[in-house]
Amino acid sequence: MTTYEELRESKIAKLKQLREKGVDPFPYQYIRTHLSREIQEKFSSLQNGEESNVKAKVCGKVMSIRGFGKLAFIDLNDDAGKIQVQLKQGISSEKTFELFPLLDAGDYAAAEGKIIRTQRGELSVLAENIILLSKSIAPMPDKWHGVTDVESRYRQRYLDLIINPDVKKVFVNRAKIIQATRTVLDRQGFVEVEIPTLQPLYGGANARPFTSHSNALDQEMYLSVSPELYLKRLTMGNMEKVYTICKNFRNEDIDKTHNPEFTTMESYWAYADYTDIMELTEEIFREACIAVHGTEQFVYQGKEFDLSQKWERLPMKKAIKKYGDVNVDDLTDQQMLDIIAKKGKKMENPKLRGLIINELFEAVAEEHLIQPTHLMDHPYETVPLCKEHRVEKGLIERFESFINGWEMCNAYSELNDAQKQRELLEKQAKEGRAKGEEMPVDEDFLRAMEYGMPPTGGLGIGMDRMCMLLLDQPTIRDVLLFPQMRNLK
């Protein structure tokens, strides 16, 4: 069996021959006239064996080569799909037949000639000329080990995209989901803004940061864990509807639905509350679904979902009662911790009752929230940036939306009382929240609040998880072009 190195040496030898023949193996430009999709659409009526009067210039990556003496075929893949190129003695130039033996799968090439349908029914370009656009020197994967190994696919995404056409479709559709999200927000008058990725303090989420150092400023810096505090500053600056789609960085777990670097959409809407944000959330998901499926229905791993329906609105305590068959108001902290332990979980820092209730929900109810659900009215202690519930003491006006048992987004009626905000952030810093870590207090954010902040509804959506769901992908790595990977030793 021919080895990888032998195949590579063969391609390098062909490159040398091309140069000796005076062929430029790396020209600067090629102007094509047709994409493969255009040919399929515009010439579908051609009958077997029929030629059109239209000449086309096509180009793409050589995927396969088949030669039969006076007749040869090349499959080219462009951005729109595949087009077959036919070489035929008497039609194709002598120079083209001389070039043909020096072509390999993996090269980039162009073909110029009439559009025909072969006797076997394949729309093709009957090439008068073949032009080499780029000579590859690495053998295509299917010639040595394929790109079936999952780790190899993630590490060498460029090969994955070449060999597995469905992978490219995932990322084209990911772009459509993000664009649909922008369309909904833009339509409603939101302004897209940018926030710093490198920040002097981290905040807006209970997460471990990545740290760096600015040589110019001679100070520690942090990669953004959340855009929240910067976006809220803008509402305080009288920008009433703002959003960003940006990268967040959290120095934490890697698993099926988590990556240390991930994309989020976060928006703030002045004079709105969390009930308004529920409506906005549903509209974003509906439009994103339509963008990739043409309908409000989709399937994830065999489960059917319908986003045309109103989402259930379920308070956290009722969710625990419904799925855990317990009333948290009748339980002590220790009784809840015992139930959590029976589910195989253990809290790192079980000091605050509200956080224990939240952990209990995750233990007994979260996995059951399959159909779209807004989980509402969380315990007061879970976040320090949210308004207290206007009716029920001990709760806040927060919701997390769940589909397939996954948290898809997080939203609040935002706290806008500057004195109360200082009290809660200082308390958070002292207690370290559930992870038992020290949390910084952003004095500039608190100073900004003192100038006044309107009533505001805030929303954060994890775009990667949203793409997983709508594109039926089993892990977050399948919707990230370049996921985080451990270095090979």
Side-chain angles (χ1 to χ4, degrees):
M1 184 177 178
T2 309
T3 67
Y4 172 87
E5 285 302 326
E6 288 170 338
L7 289 169
R8 186 173 181 274
E9 287 302 318
S10 171
K11 288 166 76 72
I12 291 173
K14 290 181 180 181
L15 176 61
K16 182 179 179 183
Q17 290 177 60
L18 287 163
R19 285 181 164 140
E20 289 172 349
K21 287 177 177 290
V23 176
D24 181 0
F26 305 104
Y28 286 87
Q29 183 188 39
Y30 184 78
I31 300 174
R32 64 181 161 199
T33 61
H34 292 75
L35 286 166
S36 58
R37 185 191 302 113
E38 293 175 286
I39 293 174
Q40 298 295 337
E41 291 172 354
K42 294 179 180 179
F43 298 90
S44 60
S45 62
L46 281 180
Q47 301 299 306
N48 290 5
E50 186 180 357
E51 293 185 6
S52 76
N53 293 320
V54 177
K55 286 191 175 182
K57 294 182 177 182
V58 298
C59 58
K61 194 169 190 69
V62 176
M63 298 304 293
S64 68
I65 299 173
R66 307 177 299 284
F68 306 103
K70 297 179 181 180
L71 196 64
F73 298 91
I74 300 170
D75 286 341
L76 294 180
N77 271 20
D78 62 18
D79 197 48
K82 186 192 84 168
I83 184 66
Q84 179 174 273
V85 174
Q86 186 184 74
L87 280 63
K88 192 174 184 179
Q89 199 165 48
I91 302 293
S92 304
S93 67
E94 185 177 330
K95 186 177 180 181
T96 289
F97 270 102
E98 288 179 4
L99 176 65
F100 180 74
L102 300 178
L103 290 178
D104 290 297
D107 295 350
Y108 282 88
E112 301 174 354
K114 285 184 178 179
I115 297 170
I116 68 167
R117 190 179 292 276
T118 66
Q119 292 290 349
R120 294 190 175 184
E122 184 84 12
L123 273 175
S124 305
V125 173
L126 180 56
E128 297 173 8
N129 297 298
I130 296 291
I131 300 99
L132 180 66
L133 301 179
S134 179
K135 183 65 184 172
S136 62
I137 60 173
M140 289 282 280
D142 58 340
K143 286 192 174 182
W144 44 292
H145 63 57
V147 192
T148 55
D149 176 69
V150 173
E151 290 284 313
S152 295
R153 286 181 53 222
Y154 298 148
R155 291 181 189 280
Q156 297 177 288
R157 184 66 86 185
Y158 43 91
L159 295 181
D160 191 23
L161 292 167
I162 294 168
I163 301 302
N164 301 315
D166 287 344
V167 171
K168 180 179 176 181
K169 186 177 179 181
V170 166
F171 291 102
V172 170
N173 282 332
R174 176 191 167 98
K176 291 179 181 179
I177 289 170
I178 292 173
Q179 184 56 51
T181 301
R182 281 194 168 96
T183 297
V184 171
L185 293 163
D186 293 346
R187 188 168 62 216
Q188 294 208 19
F190 284 81
V191 176
E192 184 172 9
V193 298
E194 295 173 298
I195 61 104
T197 300
L198 277 174
Q199 302 173 358
L201 284 176
Y202 62 97
N206 183 25
R208 296 184 182 95
F210 286 91
T211 61
S212 186
H213 182 82
S214 168
N215 291 332
L217 299 174
D218 191 24
Q219 68 183 36
E220 292 300 300
M221 302 291 284
Y222 304 91
L223 290 178
S224 173
V225 299
S226 168
E228 180 168 355
L229 301 188
Y230 282 91
L231 292 176
K232 284 184 176 179
R233 285 174 171 90
L234 299 180
T235 66
M236 299 166 200
N238 212 29
M239 295 185 74
E240 294 184 0
K241 290 183 173 181
V242 294
Y243 77 96
T244 190
I245 296 176
C246 66
K247 291 287 190 182
N248 288 343
F249 306 86
R250 297 182 184 178
N251 200 354
E252 297 177 344
D253 296 338
I254 299 177
D255 59 30
K256 178 181 176 180
T257 58
H258 293 87
N259 192 68
E261 176 183 346
F262 62 97
T263 302
T264 189
M265 186 292 296
E266 199 153 313
S267 64
Y268 290 85
W269 181 359
Y271 312 113
D273 70 0
Y274 77 147
T275 60
D276 299 305
I277 302 302
M278 289 180 199
E279 298 292 337
L280 177 62
T281 302
E282 293 179 27
E283 184 179 356
I284 288 172
F285 273 80
R286 279 197 305 271
E287 291 295 321
C289 188
I290 291 169
V292 293
H293 297 296
T295 175
E296 295 166 319
Q297 290 76 42
F298 71 97
V299 175
Y300 181 79
Q301 304 292 290
K303 300 172 191 170
E304 296 182 358
F305 299 88
D306 186 353
L307 297 178
S308 68
Q309 307 299 312
K310 296 294 293 182
W311 297 21
E312 181 180 5
R313 299 186 178 191
L314 182 63
M316 181 180 281
K317 288 184 179 180
K318 288 187 177 180
I320 294 170
K321 175 64 177 175
K322 181 177 181 179
Y323 296 109
D325 197 28
V326 292
N327 186 339
V328 296
D329 292 330
D330 296 336
L331 299 177
T332 65
D333 291 0
Q334 188 57 53
Q335 286 172 323
M336 287 191 287
L337 289 169
D338 290 342
I339 296 171
I340 293 167
K342 286 179 182 178
K343 292 290 183 177
K345 297 189 175 184
K346 184 180 179 181
M347 287 193 68
E348 295 180 33
N349 189 26
K351 295 179 180 178
L352 302 175
R353 181 172 175 84
L355 297 183
I356 297 172
I357 293 171
N358 189 74
E359 193 78 14
L360 180 63
F361 158 75
E362 293 179 3
V364 304
E366 185 174 60
E367 64 181 337
H368 299 286
L369 302 184
I370 303 301
Q371 293 301 320
T373 303
H374 298 306
L375 183 81
M376 306 166 56
D377 304 342
H378 297 222
Y380 178 76
E381 298 94 335
T382 53
V383 291
L385 297 161
C386 185
K387 273 187 178 291
E388 294 180 54
H389 198 282
R390 66 193 77 184
V391 176
E392 296 195 47
K393 189 176 181 180
L395 302 180
I396 52 176
E397 291 198 351
R398 174 192 187 190
F399 74 86
E400 295 173 304
S401 298
F402 284 82
I403 306 177
N404 194 50
W406 301 346
E407 178 196 338
M408 304 304 300
C409 68
N410 188 21
Y412 314 148
S413 294
E414 301 291 342
L415 180 60
N416 59 341
D417 179 332
Q419 291 177 316
K420 186 68 173 177
Q421 184 67 90
R422 174 175 290 280
E423 176 189 331
L424 290 175
L425 286 178
E426 288 179 349
K427 185 178 180 183
Q428 180 195 53
K430 182 179 178 181
E431 292 169 346
R433 313 302 292 160
K435 292 185 174 69
E437 301 166 355
E438 182 180 348
M439 303 292 289
V441 175
D442 190 331
E443 289 291 342
D444 181 69
F445 171 72
L446 292 172
R447 180 166 53 250
M449 283 200 76
E450 293 184 355
Y451 287 96
M453 175 180 171
T456 300
L459 169 66
I461 296 176
M463 300 304 295
D464 305 315
R465 201 171 292 181
M466 184 181 183
C467 290
M468 280 180 64
L469 186 77
L470 294 179
L471 302 178
D472 196 16
Q473 297 301 305
T475 76
I476 195 169
R477 290 182 174 187
D478 292 307
V479 297
L480 300 176
L481 278 167
F482 302 104
Q484 304 292 293
M485 304 288 290
R486 190 184 301 277
N487 289 339
L488 292 173
K489 295 181 180 179

